[in-house]
Amino acid sequence: MTTPKPISQSSLARPAVSHSLSVSPTATFHSPPASGSFMASLASRAAAKQLKPFNTEDIKILLLENVNQTGRDILSGQGYQVEFHKASLPEDQLIEKIRDVHVIGIRSKTKLTAKVLQEAKNLLVIGCFCIGTNQVDLDYAAKQGIAVFNSPFANSRSVAELVIAEIIALARQLGDRSNELHRGTWNKVSAKCWEVRGKTLGIVGYGHIGSQLSVLAEAMGMNVIYYDVVSLMAIGTARQVPTLEALLGEADFVTLHVPETPETKNMLGAKQFEQMKNGSYLINASRGTVVDIPALIKAMRAGKVAGAALDVYPNEPAGNGDYFTTDLNQWAEELRGLNNIILTPHIGGSTEEAQRAIGIEVADALVRYINQGVTLGSVNLPEVNMRQLTLDESNHARIIYIHRNVPGVLRRVNEILGDHNVDKQISDSKGDIAYLMADVSDVRPEDIKEIRDSLDGLSSRILTRVLY
């Protein structure tokens, strides 16, 4: 392999890595052999060549909130500089750190607002090592050409199992009995303790978690109904109901699995608690803003709701410690004082299995984006994929052009690329943002510099990257 040689930096706003060069187009494309046996054809296939930005040891990655070791190992194994912190950082420290990094990995506590991201002049990509991405200003990131990846499915089973455990614990008042015995009080009772067999579980949001939960609940003999804003095929004998009100009026247990959006804010408030069956139970392992907590407190004190399990809250501490107080949420003391309430610190996906899977999934996505420009799985940019290059294609460059989705851009880009042999090209758009990839063959470093500088000069440009 020849030694990579850097090309001079662009004078425009986006920094070095956004114009990085690499010595390797990667590819798994194999041209079919003209003749010969099957084994001969295997031997003749061109080996894949890994695409990496120039000087990968200069790729700086900041990982916060105790990202799993599996993810750290994958990123370190690429030769990147990885800085790891077990907790999130205060905003002022986060701003100071983010100025120098090309990649940041977070979980749910770190807030990447526009204020923070506008300081991230080198940032290429954000990895959310969790399901949710509401902690990131996705629109602002997209407008800066910063891709965002998450892990939407890896912890689904862990959350579903937690909910099953809480259904049984609430039905049997296990939390109260355990607390009493810890205090030395023996209180053996059966009043208002129930089997879950034959009871109705109402699932709000029948996505990956909700559907897995449906299967587990049916296996325990529960009847399952669900409400979703779209029509979805039921699994097993589950049944979709037309409205949230219909679900609340029929379910013995209501469990929430919806994203944080303006439409879901306080979707369970005083009105909805009145619609629930007397003596029913509520479980929220989705987002803290979905439930009006003061209204829940009133409903439980009135006996309308017999028990609740909460894993998420409107305001959550940034790290472990004695922080769940009235200073954070003014109703915290009232909530802790209720009977038959299970309070957990956002641990729905906190299992060894889930965190290992999340670490691998998100880290792999980050490596593909850094090294190949592939955006499959991005939540804020168009999802674009292109076959890799091979060792036989040594003088190829991959051009990545993120731009505003306005008329005439492709014509201008193709005019710039027109003097070169474009082996393949793909483009897609998502709202106001478009993403173009093109592999150009038989190019010299001076050709690449000319292409890059010309693309940087277009008024539609958001970000230009070159992998070589």
Side-chain angles (χ1 to χ4, degrees):
M1 181 183 295
T2 58
T3 303
K5 296 181 180 180
I7 284 180
S8 60
Q9 300 298 325
S10 167
S11 61
L12 294 179
R14 293 296 288 186
V17 176
S18 64
H19 299 130
S20 58
L21 294 181
S22 108
V23 182
S24 91
T26 9
T28 42
F29 174 74
H30 306 302
S31 299
S35 62
S37 67
F38 175 72
M39 292 305 296
S41 72
L42 289 178
S44 69
R45 289 183 177 182
K49 189 175 185 180
Q50 189 174 19
L51 249 166
K52 286 188 178 181
F54 180 72
N55 285 344
T56 55
E57 67 273 12
D58 292 335
I59 297 289
K60 296 180 180 179
I61 299 180
L62 176 64
L63 298 180
L64 304 177
E65 302 183 67
N66 205 26
V67 167
N68 192 266
Q69 186 69 47
T70 56
R72 284 142 51 192
D73 289 345
I74 289 170
L75 297 171
S76 298
Q78 292 290 318
Y80 308 145
Q81 295 182 30
V82 179
E83 180 179 345
F84 168 72
H85 295 262
K86 286 190 173 182
S88 59
L89 297 176
E91 187 180 75
D92 58 338
Q93 295 181 31
L94 178 61
I95 288 174
E96 187 65 29
K97 288 280 187 183
I98 207 170
R99 287 181 177 138
D100 296 326
V101 300
H102 308 107
V103 183
I104 185 169
I106 63 172
R107 293 175 68 188
S108 57
K109 298 292 186 295
T110 301
K111 307 301 181 186
L112 296 180
T113 62
K115 177 183 177 182
V116 173
L117 292 176
Q118 69 182 0
E119 301 293 331
K121 303 303 183 185
N122 293 328
L123 195 63
L124 294 174
V125 58
I126 298 166
C128 295
F129 288 78
C130 52
I131 291 180
T133 56
N134 56 292
Q135 68 275 41
V136 180
D137 189 328
L138 298 177
D139 184 61
Y140 184 87
K143 290 177 180 177
Q144 304 306 306
I146 301 169
V148 180
F149 295 89
N150 69 334
S151 178
F153 316 129
N155 68 1
S156 301
R157 178 71 181 201
S158 296
V159 177
E161 287 186 3
L162 177 67
V163 173
I164 288 292
E166 290 173 336
I167 289 171
I168 296 172
L170 291 174
R172 298 296 297 274
Q173 301 179 18
L174 295 184
D176 288 357
R177 298 295 85 78
S178 177
N179 288 336
E180 290 163 355
L181 206 53
H182 274 279
R183 295 194 299 266
T185 301
W186 186 274
N187 185 23
K188 183 178 179 179
V189 297
S190 60
K192 297 186 178 179
C193 294
W194 316 97
E195 293 182 355
V196 300
R197 178 181 55 177
K199 305 301 187 295
T200 298
L201 174 63
I203 301 173
V204 182
Y206 202 65
H208 294 277
I209 296 172
S211 56
Q212 285 204 44
L213 176 60
S214 174
V215 173
L216 297 176
E218 282 199 357
M220 296 195 304
M222 300 189 78
N223 304 310
V224 177
I225 59 175
Y226 62 93
Y227 167 71
D228 204 295
V229 293
V230 296
S231 295
L232 296 168
M233 185 178 71
I235 298 176
T237 61
R239 172 172 53 89
Q240 185 164 10
V241 295
T243 64
L244 176 60
E245 182 178 358
L247 180 141
L248 297 176
E250 187 176 347
D252 299 299
F253 295 84
V254 175
T255 179
L256 307 174
H257 303 283
V258 297
E260 180 178 332
T261 66
E263 292 75 24
T264 63
K265 184 175 182 180
N266 290 335
M267 72 180 299
L268 253 68
K271 177 182 176 181
Q272 287 73 33
F273 288 122
E274 282 301 315
Q275 294 168 350
M276 291 174 67
K277 293 174 67 173
N278 291 330
S280 55
Y281 302 86
L282 173 69
I283 299 166
N284 184 22
S286 59
R287 288 292 176 260
T289 57
V290 172
V291 176
D292 182 341
I293 302 294
L296 171 63
I297 293 171
K298 290 180 181 178
M300 291 189 67
R301 285 176 173 170
K304 182 70 175 182
V305 175
L310 303 179
D311 189 46
V312 289
Y313 310 90
N315 299 303
E316 298 180 358
N320 293 340
D322 299 328
Y323 305 124
F324 194 70
T325 65
T326 52
D327 293 335
L328 190 67
N329 295 293
Q330 60 182 6
W331 35 256
E333 189 172 337
E334 293 181 89
L335 190 67
R336 291 198 304 268
L338 295 172
N339 291 327
N340 203 23
I341 188 162
I342 300 170
L343 304 176
T344 51
H346 204 150
I347 58 171
S350 297
T351 63
E352 293 285 355
E353 295 89 348
Q355 292 307 308
R356 282 197 297 268
I358 289 171
I360 293 169
E361 182 178 2
V362 178
D364 281 346
L366 294 177
V367 170
R368 283 194 302 271
Y369 185 74
I370 297 166
N371 293 356
Q372 301 175 37
V374 173
T375 58
L376 291 180
S378 173
V379 298
N380 69 328
L381 293 183
E383 294 191 70
V384 174
N385 188 21
M386 194 179 328
R387 67 169 172 83
Q388 295 175 317
L389 298 172
T390 67
L391 289 172
D392 294 338
E393 300 169 302
S394 57
N395 294 321
H396 287 56
R398 174 160 291 181
I399 311 297
I400 299 166
Y401 185 63
I402 308 174
H403 60 91
R404 286 180 287 277
N405 187 20
V406 294
V409 174
L410 292 181
R411 177 177 57 82
R412 296 293 307 278
V413 170
N414 287 326
E415 286 174 354
I416 292 170
L417 300 179
D419 292 333
H420 305 277
N421 184 32
V422 178
D423 286 352
K424 51 189 179 293
Q425 179 176 321
I426 187 170
S427 178
D428 199 0
S429 62
K430 185 174 185 178
D432 296 332
I433 308 299
Y435 193 95
L436 180 145
M437 280 202 297
D439 284 348
V440 182
S441 61
D442 299 322
V443 286
R444 300 163 300 173
E446 53 267 33
D447 297 325
I448 299 172
K449 183 180 185 303
E450 180 183 354
I451 292 171
R452 188 206 64 207
D453 290 346
S454 297
L455 290 174
D456 281 347
L458 297 180
S459 60
S460 60
R461 173 193 177 273
I462 294 175
L463 176 65
T464 308
R465 297 180 65 203
V466 179
L467 303 175
Y468 178 70

